[in-house]
Amino acid sequence: MTINVSMTVNGTQVSHDIEPRMLLVHFIRETLALTGTHWGCDTSNCGACVVRIDGQPVKSCTILAAMCDGHEVATVESLEVDGQLDPIQMGFHERHALQCGFCTPGMLMTTRALLDENPDPTDHEIRVAISGAICRCTGYKNIVSAVRWAADHEAATANREG
Amino acid sequence: MQTPAVFEYERATSVDGAIASLERLGSEARVIAGGHSLLPMMKLRLANPEHLIDINDLTELSYIREQEGEIRIGAMTRHVDLLRSDLLAQHFPLFRDAETVIADPVVRNRGTIGGSLCQADAAEDLSAVCAAAKASVVIRGSGGERVVSMDGFHVRPFTTAVGAAEILTEVRLPVRPDGGSAHDKVERRAGDWAIAAASAAVWMQDGTIGDAGIALSAVGLTTIHVTRAEDLLRGKAPSDELFAEAGAIASEDCSPTSDGRGPVDYKRHLAGVLTQRALRRATARALHQEA
Amino acid sequence: MATVENLPSPSTERPIGFGRLKRKEDARFIRGQGTYLDDIRLPGMVHGAILRSPYAHARIVSIDTSRALAHPNVAAVVTAKDLETLGLAWMPTISYDTQAVLAGDKVRFQGQEVAFVIASDEYSANDALQLIDVEYEPLPAIVNARKALDLDAPLIRDDKAGQRDNLASPTWEAGDEAATNRAFAEADTVVSRDIIYPRCHPAPLETCGIVADFDPKTGQLNIWNGNQAPHAHRTVYAHVAGLAEHMIRIRCSDIGGGFGNKVPVYPGYVCAIAGSIVAGVPVKWIENRTENLVSTGFARDYVMRAEMCSKDGKITGLRVDVIADHGAFDSTAQPTKFPAGFFHIVCGSYDLQASHVKVKAVYTNKAPGGVAYRCSFRITEAVYLVERMVDALALEMKADPIDLRMRSFIAPGQFPYETTTGWTYDSGNYAETMKVAMDIAGYDDLRREQREKRERGELMGIGVAFFTEGVGAGPRKHMDILGLAMNDGADLRVHPSGKAVVSISAQTQGQGHETTFAQIVAEELGIPPEDIEVRQGDTDKSPYGLGTYGSRSTPVSGAAVAVVSRKVRDKARLIAATMLETRPEDLAWEKGRWYVKGDPEKGAMIEDIALRAYSGEPMPEGMEGGLDAQVIYDPPNLTYPYGAYIAVVDVDPDTAQVTVRRIIAVDDCGVRINPMIVDGQIHGGLAEGVGIALMELLSFDAEGNCLNSSFMDYLIPTALECPDFELGETVTPCPHHPLGAKGVGESPNVGSPPAIVNAVIDALYETHGVDHIDMPCTPARVWAAMQGRAEPPQ
């Protein structure tokens, strides 16, 4: 059986014929050739595959592409707009919150969603938000620091513009 | 990465439509909602349904509302919404306790209460939560609806009262005055299944415990409903000694198995400790004494 | 395009040389533009998948591949028989053993490779695995290393001629048995312990994989592979496949974590290469997480029995007897003459009278491996052992664990210090480092808090560990791996524009080499780091060397880059003298230029010297044009980083859950090229230490079934289990390293597990009498210890 799925990915409408069993992570990586989204496990534990569906972070390895028909998907490639990095990306760079970079797209999407909902999170709230994502390299300390950097940066920008 | 076997797929546009499809397609068809129990099993080839009926479009089943003296939760309500609901937290704080420690925040965006209850994994928290809260569930088939209490819901390991061509549509929690509840869980690491967990609910009456609900996760082949401890508590004034007795009963009446999370004696011990903790907290909430 | 220029840098620190320079490689990673192995697609590429044994030990009766071959998307199914015709059914290991690429006669561990499917896409390859029918005849399995040498134990390696038992490597000794016996005879306190360092796994977030592309027209084999030692791999493939080395090119993709897991050559690599050679198309194979956990290089699994003694308040002797579980094939990676790696550094940081160490290795029906996960060639096991024993001795002596260490440390005046097992530690001031840790921790306040809490029934523990480790292998006169010298090369070329490219033998898997190695050149030559390209991981473009593991990048490749930069600087001096019409000895250097002593306005900037070197203008007499140099660096010794770690834990008295509240880590890794990156490396290792101490375990049932074969049961700490690490430093430059740097990547894994376990015991000794507990300190295991029923993990 093949089905047609149509969805918006990073603002662009896409439409493809796929097997229903195709997981969203493979649809993104293989069919759309957006390889920024990664995978690291078989059991929905590691969070390397996190993307946003209708704004919510989800583990794309545990979603069928078919389930996204009619929905909006955002991947890490959507963060930089017109050559301008998102503050969360800047924060990760500023605060050395990545080493091998493999968990980074999932962490960026998860923490971008956190800041969208909670612009001033505490360190504990940040740790809770990323508790579904594993990093083997950083020990998380700098990731927390990076999210705080981004939050402060966005608050300062808002104040200037407000 | 591991990948599922081939299956046919359709998207349900109505509850009755999903039921009709289940009837038509028979035992090799499964409903899929959040998918965070079913899809991992399919990837590991532990489950190989030939047909999936996707019910994620049935947004009419996603609600938390107060109606006819009950809090009613639609089966498609996601864990994240259960966590955030102030209405639910006000009447049944054990939901928020449990949701804080169910899976992780990202998984909670997709998993549903219906899916969790129907998975009927003994380690799953919401089954104990609903049992302690004296919930009943609404099950719909082609012949109509029936209401089943949580007592009768878990039939066997991984088997519930939901029949082959039926769908769980709603969870109903009777609201009674002077109630308090809590859920307490021990896990090896954030996001892990419980080594053991206890849900407790009490309703006070003139300084004594009028009614109690106590249920345990992960210490039996299904959710353990500790009716003997509930009987003990009814009509008695709350005290640490009473809760210790209830805990001892919980310890005795569960039937844990030894596995990677812990041996039998430790799980029994936890059942007792967590029952006491949950009861203490539930009572404090019922008496508005919690800090 | 993502470059470092596009990255806005609000902070002003952009050092030319050492300092907290933000990373150049971030530009692609924060955009999701890294190229990891599974991101590689080539035209005509097909996908491999491996069928693995469900049994730990079984005869293979038959393999029927017909149903799989009938699948429309399947191109081939390869078994041992097919590989035999190519001479590839078995491959050599780094430990001079052999390992089956695909099992022919028997399977010897659960998860062992049995067949290799090649299909058009990944989903079809996975489907095809279900269509291969293998008939097994199960055999009894050996899972417990202590039982491997029992007389009735089944023989695992009946493939090896003359192998009569499950001994993988005979007893290896270090130290002096007679002197140690004397020390124990003279001692006033003796303690003994059985201590296990359980099997765990590096589990990098990216699993292992390969893309093999053999071009039948040219005979060239192109390989993309995330591996930590590309040149060594190429040498192995040349030998195994019978291809000349220049016909094999290995390019390392961006690597999503190594931690030693990506050092070995795995059967999947050989299958993909064989598949590509036979089929003439690119073959991609990448393992799933279960495969990674059950078949690739695990870590540790040392069963140890130790005794330690003291006299007059000072530690005097140590004896250790180890059974090392190597799994079904001996594929541990360590220098040839050191079958137990550097375990004999177990003499520790103390001025012992004598010590004696014995290690033997056995085969069991489990996956092969043992040297991995930031172990510094078994130094993690050694330090864990000695630091646990020091605490055990402190308990027996009723001494404060820090006081006992301070009294027993090697004193600053004793360096260079030859240990009782033959190490020569070059420099150190251990007490100073320990004091820094105590200050940051507020040690006395913590002990006060502990007393107060104990009175209220709250269980708080403070644990200490001090380590000296040896990294940067190693001098060619002492060590080799598979007969290859552990030397690294560096090639530096300065372009006419004054920008440069440096090619190195090291291979980053997240350590930040693109930044730090540029910083070394910048420090030596004054060229800004953004103008220095660092090349690594391409065997066609990088100098021969043994890669990155054992914390050797800074000590060996870092030294090579410093030396090669100085060679370039020396050549630049001669050219500058010609340019300035003066003698070379009249010139002085400041970063970026040679200038005339006494007339500093008169000088030549490095970029002008570079342009001159390529121009038609006169060069110094007899000198070739260009501004470049090459070096192969042979380290004169290992380097010896050390550190003092303190862990604070709280144990729930009812549920026995352990919370790591604080970890204070004070490292002396010599001069720090990029302190930000050093701190990051330490944070990561501390998190891994939390995992090892509390939750990571590869366990097996009696039949050899692996019970932790996914991330549901192989538990890795999240942000909620890791405290906000507190770091400190002391700086004792390494006397022989050109930059004074020592290396640091593995130190946090060396120091944190013993600190945490010592803390757990410290929380429970007085109230519950717990004087030992094996890792992982899961709630169930801690509770059992509190009941007096501590048992080693399976």
Side-chain angles (χ1 to χ4, degrees):
Chain A
M1 179 188 205
T2 60
I3 52 173
N4 180 273
V5 293
S6 298
M7 65 186 80
T8 309
V9 178
N10 298 339
T12 303
Q13 184 70 16
V14 302
S15 176
H16 289 272
D17 292 331
I18 59 166
E19 282 190 295
R21 64 172 172 164
M22 179 172 255
L23 299 164
L24 180 63
V25 64
H26 293 134
F27 181 73
I28 290 169
R29 290 179 51 79
E30 311 292 329
T31 312
L32 303 181
L34 292 168
T35 57
T37 303
H38 304 143
W39 59 268
C41 76
D42 306 312
T43 47
S44 319
N45 294 111
C46 79
C49 67
V50 172
V51 299
R52 295 172 79 175
I53 298 180
D54 301 333
Q56 276 198 324
V58 297
K59 294 188 174 181
S60 64
C61 70
T62 319
I63 310 265
L64 298 172
M67 290 171 168
C68 300
D69 185 88
H71 292 270
E72 285 183 17
V73 177
T75 69
V76 65
E77 288 90 345
S78 70
L79 289 175
E80 184 180 22
V81 177
D82 294 330
Q84 182 70 23
L85 287 170
D86 188 286
I88 195 69
Q89 291 172 299
M90 291 162 56
F92 270 59
H93 175 61
E94 275 300 310
R95 287 290 148 95
H96 185 41
L98 61 146
Q99 293 181 29
C100 81
F102 200 73
C103 78
T104 305
M107 288 289 184
L108 288 171
M109 297 309 282
T110 302
T111 53
R112 179 69 263 166
L114 168 70
L115 290 180
D116 285 350
E117 198 199 296
N118 180 355
D120 189 21
T122 63
D123 283 4
H124 181 71
E125 286 170 333
I126 296 169
R127 287 177 181 267
V128 169
I130 62 173
S131 63
I134 304 286
C135 175
R136 264 320 220 174
C137 294
T138 68
Y140 308 105
K141 182 180 163 100
N142 286 355
I143 295 177
V144 173
S145 177
V147 178
R148 278 305 324 163
W149 186 97
D152 292 342
H153 180 91
E154 289 189 317
T157 309
N159 281 341
R160 278 200 299 276
E161 291 169 359
Chain B
M1 205 169 99
Q2 298 189 52
T3 51
V6 166
F7 55 83
E8 308 261 294
Y9 171 89
E10 64 183 65
R11 261 196 181 178
T13 52
S14 67
V15 177
D16 291 325
I19 291 165
S21 289
L22 282 170
E23 273 189 334
R24 176 172 47 87
L25 296 168
S27 63
E28 280 307 313
R30 295 281 303 264
V31 150
I32 185 165
H36 279 56
S37 303
L38 183 56
L39 276 175
M41 285 175 57
M42 290 172 68
K43 284 155 73 174
L44 298 177
R45 306 282 174 127
L46 299 171
N48 297 291
E50 288 173 11
H51 302 270
L52 283 190
I53 301 161
D54 181 343
I55 58 170
N56 284 289
D57 285 346
L58 304 183
T59 51
E60 67 267 30
L61 290 183
S62 181
Y63 54 85
I64 305 170
R65 56 185 177 233
E66 194 164 4
Q67 196 176 347
E68 292 174 41
E70 293 174 325
I71 302 292
R72 293 184 174 174
I73 307 173
M76 283 298 297
T77 307
R78 313 268 179 192
H79 287 292
V80 62
D81 297 318
L82 295 169
L83 174 65
R84 288 179 181 164
S85 166
D86 290 330
L87 176 65
L88 194 54
Q90 181 197 340
H91 292 285
F92 293 97
L94 83 170
F95 270 91
R96 186 166 279 174
D97 291 346
E99 288 294 350
T100 308
V101 289
I102 284 177
D104 64 67
V106 177
V107 169
R108 291 199 290 264
N109 284 336
R110 295 299 294 184
T112 63
I113 183 169
S116 292
L117 293 178
C118 291
Q119 180 69 7
D121 188 323
E124 189 281 306
D125 294 276
L126 290 186
S127 299
V129 164
C130 290
K134 311 288 190 195
S136 49
V137 300
V138 178
I139 300 173
R140 196 194 302 182
S142 55
E145 278 187 358
R146 56 202 178 87
V147 179
V148 174
S149 94
M150 279 306 292
D151 274 338
F153 184 70
H154 290 113
V155 173
R156 275 189 306 283
F158 298 101
T159 308
T160 69
V162 179
E166 294 184 313
I167 289 182
L168 187 150
T169 55
E170 185 177 81
V171 179
R172 293 179 176 175
L173 305 157
V175 177
R176 289 183 281 167
D178 300 314
S181 60
H183 180 84
D184 209 329
K185 171 177 177 177
V186 170
E187 47 198 351
R188 295 174 297 180
R189 186 209 67 186
D192 193 15
W193 293 102
I195 306 174
S199 288
V202 296
W203 292 268
M204 304 302 291
Q205 198 162 47
D206 306 317
T208 64
I209 295 171
D211 194 11
I214 302 171
L216 306 171
S217 306
V219 285
L221 295 174
T222 63
T223 306
I224 302 285
H225 202 155
V226 195
T227 48
R228 211 162 52 98
E230 293 173 355
D231 293 340
L232 171 81
L233 294 175
R234 274 188 208 97
K236 301 226 178 50
S239 72
D240 280 344
E241 292 74 31
L242 183 67
F243 296 154
E245 267 189 83
I249 294 172
S251 231
E252 285 164 29
D253 287 5
C254 63
S255 45
T257 50
S258 201
D259 63 19
R261 299 198 280 270
V264 169
D265 59 354
Y266 176 61
K267 293 185 181 186
R268 278 196 196 284
H269 167 75
L270 280 186
V273 165
L274 297 179
T275 297
Q276 288 179 69
R277 284 189 179 176
L279 279 171
R280 234 178 269 130
R281 200 146 184 234
T283 308
R285 284 171 171 165
L287 298 172
H288 306 290
Q289 281 169 2
E290 196 181 41
Chain C
M1 193 196 70
T3 66
V4 71
E5 280 91 6
N6 320 32
L7 294 172
S9 195
S11 74
T12 53
E13 186 160 7
R14 303 259 322 234
I16 297 180
F18 296 174
R20 304 184 74 91
L21 183 65
K22 287 186 248 307
R23 297 191 339 160
K24 300 166 74 180
E25 47 267 78
D26 286 358
R28 62 186 184 276
F29 294 136
I30 59 176
R31 292 171 166 93
Q33 286 170 5
T35 304
Y36 300 92
L37 200 284
D38 201 23
D39 301 337
I40 294 171
R41 267 122 243 224
L42 301 177
M45 188 174 80
V46 294
H47 290 257
I50 293 180
L51 181 71
R52 295 180 180 274
S53 166
Y55 293 103
H57 200 195
R59 247 171 238 309
I60 295 179
V61 176
S62 65
I63 304 180
D64 182 354
T65 60
S66 55
R67 286 196 305 138
L69 284 167
H71 189 297
N73 296 342
V74 168
V77 182
V78 181
T79 63
K81 274 207 194 63
D82 304 308
L83 290 182
E84 264 152 36
T85 61
L86 297 167
L88 289 176
W90 290 78
M91 63 180 184
T93 72
I94 299 178
S95 287
Y96 300 96
D97 193 0
T98 49
Q99 176 175 354
V101 174
L102 292 175
D105 57 333
K106 261 188 6 172
V107 290
R108 294 173 169 88
F109 66 93
Q110 186 186 56
Q112 185 179 356
E113 300 80 4
V114 174
F116 187 76
V117 163
I118 300 176
S120 57
D121 65 280
E122 189 186 357
Y123 281 58
S124 298
N126 286 343
D127 288 342
L129 294 179
Q130 311 281 320
L131 301 175
I132 302 173
D133 302 308
V134 183
E135 199 187 330
Y136 295 98
E137 189 187 283
L139 299 166
I142 285 289
V143 175
N144 187 336
R146 286 197 187 95
K147 301 214 168 79
L149 296 176
D150 287 356
L151 287 173
D152 60 351
L155 181 64
I156 298 172
R157 297 300 304 278
D158 49 352
D159 59 288
K160 293 179 76 167
Q163 184 82 27
R164 302 250 177 281
D165 57 19
N166 293 319
L167 188 69
S169 185
T171 300
W172 181 86
E173 286 185 56
D176 184 330
E177 187 174 13
T180 303
N181 289 343
R182 272 197 307 278
F184 275 85
E186 292 163 9
D188 42 49
T189 313
V190 176
V191 286
S192 68
R193 290 284 188 277
D194 285 310
I195 295 182
I196 290 185
Y197 205 131
R199 182 176 281 230
C200 50
H201 200 282
L205 202 57
E206 183 204 26
T207 59
C208 302
I210 190 171
V211 176
D213 181 15
F214 180 74
D215 184 345
K217 294 191 299 294
T218 61
Q220 173 92 15
L221 176 60
N222 277 299
I223 290 172
W224 284 263
N225 181 224
N227 85 72
Q228 300 175 230
H231 279 282
H233 277 225
R234 186 175 69 159
T235 298
V236 168
Y237 294 141
H239 173 76
V240 157
L243 285 172
E245 282 188 340
H246 59 271
M247 299 305 290
I248 303 174
R249 181 180 184 186
I250 297 182
R251 270 167 284 189
C252 286
S253 38
D254 284 320
I255 303 179
F259 313 114
N261 190 222
K262 291 177 175 151
V263 167
V265 171
Y266 292 118
Y269 300 165
V270 177
C271 288
I273 290 170
S276 185
I277 289 175
V278 168
V281 292
V283 176
K284 174 190 278 188
W285 169 76
I286 182 162
E287 59 177 3
N288 60 51
R289 178 56 61 186
T290 294
E291 296 181 278
N292 176 254
L293 290 171
V294 306
S295 76
T296 65
F298 72 90
R300 319 284 191 273
D301 216 344
Y302 257 28
V303 178
M304 307 180 276
R305 156 152 280 185
E307 291 173 292
M308 185 177 258
C309 61
S310 67
K311 188 170 173 63
D312 300 329
K314 199 180 138 163
I315 307 168
T316 50
L318 173 67
R319 55 162 82 95
V320 190
D321 202 327
V322 180
I323 303 173
D325 186 331
H326 283 204
F329 304 102
D330 192 359
S331 71
T332 50
Q334 66 274 308
T336 301
K337 297 188 211 64
F338 300 85
F342 297 159
F343 182 76
H344 56 302
I345 208 167
V346 71
C347 48
S349 313
Y350 310 105
D351 184 24
L352 300 180
Q353 192 179 314
S355 67
H356 184 227
V357 182
K358 292 193 299 190
V359 183
K360 65 172 177 270
V362 297
Y363 291 120
T364 58
N365 289 115
K366 301 182 205 164
V371 171
Y373 204 178
R374 284 169 123 152
C375 73
S376 296
F377 298 125
R378 302 283 189 190
I379 296 183
T380 42
E381 291 86 319
V383 167
Y384 180 70
L385 187 291
V386 68
E387 290 304 295
R388 279 291 309 117
M389 290 308 292
V390 172
D391 259 41
L393 191 55
L395 280 183
E396 186 71 20
M397 293 163 67
K398 299 198 190 336
D400 175 273
I402 291 188
D403 285 346
L404 177 57
R405 287 174 169 84
M406 293 291 217
R407 285 199 295 275
S408 309
F409 276 151
I410 301 162
Q414 291 179 283
F415 291 91
Y417 178 87
E418 182 161 347
T419 78
T420 50
T421 51
W423 297 90
T424 304
Y425 297 165
D426 51 34
S427 60
N429 187 336
Y430 295 163
E432 181 200 355
T433 304
M434 181 70 96
K435 285 201 197 90
V436 173
M438 292 171 74
D439 278 341
I440 297 173
Y443 186 73
D444 294 335
D445 291 334
L446 287 172
R447 285 291 176 205
R448 198 165 22 246
E449 184 193 349
Q450 181 183 44
R451 280 192 297 277
E452 287 162 17
K453 284 201 145 99
R454 204 168 267 153
E455 272 156 38
R456 295 199 297 272
E458 292 171 40
L459 303 173
M460 168 186 163
I462 304 152
V464 172
F466 194 96
F467 63 90
T468 300
E469 63 155 344
V471 301
R476 62 193 308 141
K477 63 180 184 278
H478 293 316
M479 44 192 75
D480 65 85
I481 291 189
L482 272 185
L484 301 169
M486 298 186 75
N487 292 169
D488 281 357
D491 296 348
L492 176 59
R493 173 162 311 194
V494 183
H495 300 307
S497 63
K499 299 186 203 261
V501 56
V502 63
S503 304
I504 60 176
S505 305
Q507 174 52 50
T508 196
Q509 318 112 47
Q511 293 92 329
H513 292 178
E514 286 167 46
T515 304
T516 55
F517 282 88
Q519 287 180 264
I520 297 175
V521 178
E523 181 74 24
E524 298 291 334
L525 290 180
I527 300 173
E530 58 261 32
D531 290 340
I532 300 166
E533 184 196 342
V534 176
R535 280 202 191 138
Q536 59 195 315
D538 183 337
T539 53
D540 272 8
K541 293 185 184 170
S542 61
Y544 200 96
L546 285 211
T548 294
Y549 45 83
S551 302
R552 64 191 299 278
S553 295
T554 295
V556 187
S557 276
V561 170
V563 169
V564 82
S565 301
R566 290 170 192 178
K567 271 179 137 176
V568 164
R569 193 168 77 215
D570 289 344
K571 180 170 182 180
R573 180 186 210 159
L574 299 175
I575 298 171
T578 303
M579 287 164 77
L580 298 168
E581 292 170 335
T582 181
R583 300 171 309 166
E585 52 267 40
D586 293 332
L587 294 175
W589 170 260
E590 64 180 3
K591 205 184 278 182
R593 79 197 268 266
W594 285 106
Y595 66 92
V596 177
K597 292 182 204 171
D599 190 2
E601 299 286 299
K602 197 168 164 203
M605 311 248 323
I606 190 79
E607 55 261 41
D608 298 324
I609 299 171
L611 186 57
R612 172 67 172 242
Y614 291 95
S615 74
E617 297 292 319
M619 286 288 277
E621 186 69 39
M623 181 182 286
E624 296 172 357
L627 188 58
D628 50 31
Q630 274 184 301
V631 127
I632 303 270
Y633 184 77
D634 180 25
N637 192 0
L638 300 189
T639 64
Y640 297 91
Y642 56 90
Y645 287 11
I646 297 179
V648 181
V649 307
D650 298 293
V651 182
D652 186 310
D654 297 313
T655 66
Q657 285 167 292
V658 176
T659 304
V660 179
R661 198 203 304 173
R662 295 174 67 191
I663 297 182
I664 294 94
V666 178
D667 283 90
D668 194 318
C669 56
V671 170
R672 299 177 172 212
I673 296 161
N674 185 323
M676 176 190 83
I677 287 183
V678 170
D679 286 351
Q681 286 283 290
I682 296 171
H683 295 162
L686 294 178
E688 290 177 336
V690 170
I692 291 168
L694 296 189
M695 61 188 74
E696 294 187 37
L697 175 67
L698 283 175
S699 63
F700 299 80
D701 66 17
E703 279 80 53
N705 295 306
C706 180
L707 305 173
N708 309 88
S709 60
S710 78
F711 275 175
M712 267 179 51
D713 289 300
Y714 189 81
L715 300 177
I716 290 173
T718 70
L720 290 175
E721 285 78 38
C722 295
D724 189 33
F725 306 117
E726 300 161 68
L727 304 192
E729 69 179 75
T730 58
V731 180
T732 308
C734 170
H736 66 77
H737 188 278
L739 303 172
K742 298 186 196 174
V744 73
E746 293 164 310
S747 291
N749 288 49
V750 169
S752 55
I756 296 170
V757 175
N758 282 344
V760 172
I761 293 168
D762 186 66
L764 301 176
Y765 177 71
E766 267 199 37
T767 48
H768 293 79
V770 174
D771 66 5
H772 182 61
I773 182 170
D774 280 314
M775 303 186 286
C777 298
T778 60
R781 295 180 48 72
V782 172
W783 186 78
M786 288 162 78
Q787 313 309 306
R789 292 202 293 277
E791 266 174 36
Q794 275 308 104

